[in-house]
């Protein structure tokens, strides 16, 4: 089938996929697998398929989503064994007829594919991911001035500012699996993002958290975090840049 | 070892690792040209001659301290990564510090004792 729009031809293919969904039941505390056959087009995503299942086959299936366009990070889940955004993953591009969908690992499940992100956000918060200035009066009261930043200074941390906090990196990290107290790649990348911002003066305040057994030193550089990030952020790089800063005693390049 | 920043421990881990390359190199160089001769008490290149060499003995002392730190910190890191809880972490720190001090004392006594023989 094809449709013509503004003189361009859009190829629309249809296919039926089997979705194997790992579902968590909060009443029993157990997981079970449910299978659904769904017809989708090559333009549709795994999230579209899950919502189709929810509206036509099984209304009890719990899925978290919001923007549907890879911005909010709500629909991260493990698809065919890899943490991805359901709204950015197309069944046709996965190359398998059977698609497994599981909740994010390393996080407590709430129901079916929905996980509790509290622990993840607590760790994120622990690195003080905001602009810290020595003079708070100047920062919050003298609103007539602003902090200048050159394009070069912006580039120092820009890549890390693209994080949407979906939890894919956290879910993929083998060290988070081993050590529940490890901050994880997202929080550490956020610590780097703010410490590398020339307007920020809070690097020293973040040291207590990042320079600890559960901070950057727990990272073994497996690199899975960077591999799965749907926004192209490289948390492993951020962690290694933080290690470099700690070893040289110099704050990140600003 | 909460009172010491982890980066300080790791910095010394890397520094002692580099030191070990040098002092172990010196230690191995003194087995040259004959290993058999180098472990004899007397004779050319023997132990007695090595003890008289201030530079070599300094390297051996440094080897003892650097190897002890490097080994103890490495062992601590490995044991902590078993993640057995807070009490485990405290026990690991106590055992590692005690073992490190013991090794340093025994090693120093042995080396100083050897120097006193000459």
């Amino acid at each position: 089938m094809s449709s013509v729009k503004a003189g361009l031809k859009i190829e629309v293919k249809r296919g039926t996929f089997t979705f194997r969904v790992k579902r968590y039941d909060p009443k029993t505390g157990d997981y079970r697998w449910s299978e659904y056959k769904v017809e989708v087009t090559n333009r549709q995503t795994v999230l579209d398929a899950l919502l189709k299942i929810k509206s036509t086959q099984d209304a009890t299936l719990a899925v978290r989503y919001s923007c549907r366009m890879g911005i909010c990070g709500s629909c991260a889940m493990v698809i065919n064994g890899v943490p991805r955004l359901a709204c950015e993953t197309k069944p046709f591009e996965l190359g398998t007829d059977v698609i497994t969908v599981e909740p994010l690992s390393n996080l407590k499940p709430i129901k079916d594919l929905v996980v509790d992100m509290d622990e993840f956000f607590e760790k994120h918060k622990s690195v003080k991911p905001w602009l810290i200035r020595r003079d708070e009066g100047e920062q919050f009261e003298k609103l007539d001035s602003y902090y200048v930043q050159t394009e070069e200074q912006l580039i120092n941390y820009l890549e890390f500012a693209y994080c949407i906090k979906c939890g894919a990196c956290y879910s993929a990290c083998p060290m988070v699996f081993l050590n529940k107290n490890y901050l994880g790649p997202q929080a550490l990348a956020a610590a780097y993002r703010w410490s590398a911002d020339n307007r920020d003066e809070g690097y020293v305040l973040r040291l207590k958290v990042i320079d600890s057994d559960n901070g950057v030193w727990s990272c073994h550089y497996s690199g899975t975090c960077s591999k799965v990030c749907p926004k192209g952020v490289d948390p492993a790089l951020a962690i290694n840049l933080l290690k470099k800063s700690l070893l040289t005693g110099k704050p990140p390049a600003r | 070892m909460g009172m010491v920043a982890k980066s300080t421990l790791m910095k010394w881990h890397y520094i002692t690792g580099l030191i070990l390359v040098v002092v172990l190199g010196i230690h191995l160089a003194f087995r040259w040209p004959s290993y058999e001769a180098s472990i004899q008490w007397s004779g050319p290149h023997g132990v007695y001659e090595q003890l008289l060499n201030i530079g070599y003995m300094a390297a051996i002392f440094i080897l003892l301290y650097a190897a002890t730190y490097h080994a103890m910190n490495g062992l601590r890191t490995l044991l902590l990564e078993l993640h057995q809880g807070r009490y485990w972490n405290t026990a690991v720190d106590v055992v590692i510090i005690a073992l490190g001090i013991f090794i340093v004392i025994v090693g120093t006594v042995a080396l100083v004792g050897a120097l006193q023989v000459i």
Side-chain angles (χ1 to χ4, degrees):
Chain A
M1 188 197 268
S2 66
S3 63
V4 178
K5 204 172 183 184
L8 294 169
K9 214 172 185 184
I10 298 169
E11 282 295 321
V12 179
K13 291 182 212 160
R14 287 187 181 278
T16 301
F17 293 86
T18 303
F19 283 81
R20 289 194 75 229
V21 183
K22 189 178 184 183
R23 305 178 65 180
Y24 177 75
D25 185 346
K27 284 180 189 162
T28 62
D30 291 329
Y31 287 97
R32 69 192 160 93
W33 289 89
S34 296
E35 275 193 20
Y36 309 94
K37 282 194 190 305
V38 196
E39 191 192 61
V40 290
T41 70
N42 60 332
R43 318 290 295 177
Q44 289 181 301
T45 64
V46 170
L47 181 62
D48 291 328
L50 292 172
L51 295 179
K52 196 171 179 181
I53 291 167
K54 203 169 161 58
S55 62
T56 61
Q57 297 184 40
D58 187 351
T60 66
L61 181 65
V63 186
R64 180 163 50 207
Y65 69 100
S66 182
C67 74
R68 306 188 194 201
M69 53 180 75
I71 293 169
C72 72
S74 305
C75 66
M77 53 190 75
V78 179
I79 301 167
N80 276 3
V82 179
R84 315 172 205 242
L85 292 181
C87 69
E88 285 198 331
T89 307
K90 292 177 177 167
F92 267 86
E93 291 172 2
L94 288 170
T96 55
D97 293 332
V98 178
I99 294 167
T100 58
V101 185
E102 300 164 70
L104 285 180
S105 358
N106 295 338
L107 289 160
K108 282 179 204 151
I110 294 176
K111 186 178 186 301
D112 296 344
L113 297 169
V114 183
V115 291
D116 186 351
M117 303 289 283
D118 281 0
E119 181 189 294
F120 173 80
F121 284 117
E122 279 304 317
K123 288 178 179 177
H124 175 64
K125 206 165 76 179
S126 73
V127 301
K128 303 182 193 295
W130 53 79
L131 196 76
I132 299 170
R133 299 286 296 186
R134 282 193 204 96
D135 188 349
E136 288 192 353
E138 178 203 72
Q139 186 181 4
F140 295 113
E141 287 158 29
K142 289 182 188 170
L143 299 174
D144 53 334
S145 60
Y146 62 95
Y147 305 119
V148 181
Q149 186 164 72
T150 64
E151 193 181 351
E152 208 169 47
Q153 287 168 328
L154 170 71
I155 289 166
N156 272 334
Y157 69 84
L158 183 62
E159 175 192 331
F160 306 103
Y162 286 136
C163 172
I164 56 172
K165 295 150 201 77
C166 64
C169 59
Y170 191 85
S171 169
C173 178
M175 295 316 295
V176 175
F177 177 77
L178 288 173
N179 177 13
K180 294 294 167 209
N181 295 320
Y182 172 42
L183 286 176
Q186 189 282 327
L188 291 170
Y192 181 80
R193 177 257 173 271
W194 287 101
S195 302
D197 189 324
N198 70 298
R199 301 164 300 175
D200 182 82
E201 295 171 337
Y203 173 64
V204 175
L205 296 175
R206 294 185 190 103
L207 282 181
K208 196 182 168 191
V209 185
I210 61 176
D211 187 9
S212 66
D213 282 320
N214 296 320
V216 290
W217 305 105
S218 266
C219 172
H220 284 219
Y221 199 49
S222 71
T224 48
C225 52
S226 303
K227 210 168 184 178
V228 302
C229 178
K231 307 309 284 184
V233 180
D234 191 347
L237 173 65
I239 293 169
N240 279 288
L241 288 170
L242 280 175
K243 280 183 183 174
K244 185 183 163 193
S245 291
L246 292 169
L247 289 175
T248 57
K250 292 176 190 163
R254 299 141 67 88
Chain B
M1 280 183 243
M3 70 289 271
V4 183
K6 180 77 178 175
S7 59
T8 308
L9 295 177
M10 291 309 293
K11 203 180 289 177
W12 278 104
H13 194 75
Y14 298 140
I15 291 170
T16 51
L18 292 171
I19 290 171
L20 282 175
V21 173
V22 177
V23 291
L24 271 173
I26 294 169
H27 182 58
L28 290 174
F30 271 74
R31 307 305 110 206
W32 188 265
S34 163
Y35 173 74
E36 289 301 324
S38 76
I39 58 170
Q40 299 299 317
W41 175 252
S42 55
H45 311 299
V47 175
Y48 187 79
E49 201 174 277
Q50 290 164 30
L51 288 170
L52 291 172
N53 187 324
I54 295 169
Y56 176 74
M57 286 314 293
I60 293 302
F61 271 97
I62 293 169
L63 174 61
L64 168 67
Y65 303 132
T68 305
Y69 179 85
H70 196 79
M72 290 300 114
N73 192 50
L75 185 60
R76 175 182 180 265
T77 305
L78 291 175
L79 292 173
L80 290 186
E81 285 187 356
L82 294 174
H83 302 298
Q84 298 298 305
R86 199 156 53 89
Y87 294 117
W88 168 261
N89 293 355
T90 308
V92 166
D93 280 348
V94 170
V95 169
I96 288 294
I97 291 170
L99 188 60
I101 291 171
F102 176 74
I103 293 169
V104 163
I105 290 172
V106 170
T108 306
V109 167
L111 286 174
V112 171
L115 285 174
Q116 282 170 346
V117 172
I118 58 168

